[in-house]
Amino acid sequence: MSTTGGDGSTTKPKPVVQYIFLRRDLEWPAGAMAAQAAHASLAAVTEALRANHEPTAQYVSADNLPRMTKQVYGVDTLEELEKVRDTWAKKIVPEDGTEEPLYYWWMEQPENIPSAMATWPVERTNKVSKVIKGLKLTYF
């Protein structure tokens, strides 16, 4: 989807991306970690849609489905995951001024273990780049 400026020029919107952060220290099988990512992702999207978050509506629109982008990062400890969460909460704030956090903190049940965090889909910006700087994309 592109937008037309007042001068008639067409600009492409910034890509909307969902970021997922998984704990590596849990040493769970790859399938279990994939499930954690899926649970956190769906929970974040559900919460964002409930809040009428426009970038999320764009992200899950029929036109965007073939271009949906997720980036999955691994963190080494719970403390590192908490640091990512806290940094995200400070730097990536809703444009409408609400206090709504733009992420979902996934707790595996019934163990009550924080295993993942998924962001609401957001535009890729310099603020986002600063939050994820130094983190590595992961696979299990």
Side-chain angles (χ1 to χ4, degrees), residues 42-54 56-57 100 104 120:
L42 185 56
V45 167
T46 300
E47 290 294 311
L49 289 173
R50 281 188 192 147
N52 297 314
H53 186 245
E54 182 57 35
T56 301
E100 192 79 43
Y104 193 92
W120 292 12

Side-chain angles (χ1 to χ4, degrees), residues 11-81:
T11 59
K12 288 185 178 181
K14 292 180 182 173
V16 175
V17 179
Q18 184 178 38
Y19 300 88
I20 302 169
F21 306 91
L22 296 171
R23 286 180 56 192
R24 288 190 187 115
D25 62 320
L26 296 175
E27 298 180 2
W28 293 350
M33 294 311 294
Q36 299 308 298
H39 294 323
S41 173
L42 185 56
V45 167
T46 300
E47 290 294 311
L49 289 173
R50 281 188 192 147
N52 297 314
H53 186 245
E54 182 57 35
T56 301
Q58 174 190 338
Y59 184 76
V60 299
S61 70
D63 290 341
N64 192 60
L65 288 179
R67 289 178 294 286
M68 233 185 230
T69 302
K70 289 179 180 50
Q71 292 184 354
V72 182
Y73 293 87
V75 296
D76 293 326
T77 64
L78 172 58
E79 292 76 21
E80 190 175 348
L81 186 61

Side-chain angles (χ1 to χ4, degrees), residues 19-22 73-92 102-103 105 116-119 128 130-136:
Y19 300 88
I20 302 169
F21 306 91
L22 296 171
Y73 293 87
V75 296
D76 293 326
T77 64
L78 172 58
E79 292 76 21
E80 190 175 348
L81 186 61
E82 291 170 334
K83 182 179 176 187
V84 169
R85 177 197 61 198
D86 295 346
T87 302
W88 186 271
K90 282 184 211 164
K91 295 194 181 283
I92 313 300
L102 300 182
Y103 65 86
W105 185 255
M117 180 187 122
T119 70
V128 171
K130 289 177 183 176
V131 173
I132 61 176
K133 184 179 180 178
L135 298 175
K136 294 188 180 192

Side-chain angles (χ1 to χ4, degrees), residues 121-134:
V122 295
E123 287 185 347
R124 189 177 298 159
T125 65
N126 288 337
K127 285 182 182 181
V128 171
S129 296
K130 289 177 183 176
V131 173
I132 61 176
K133 184 179 180 178

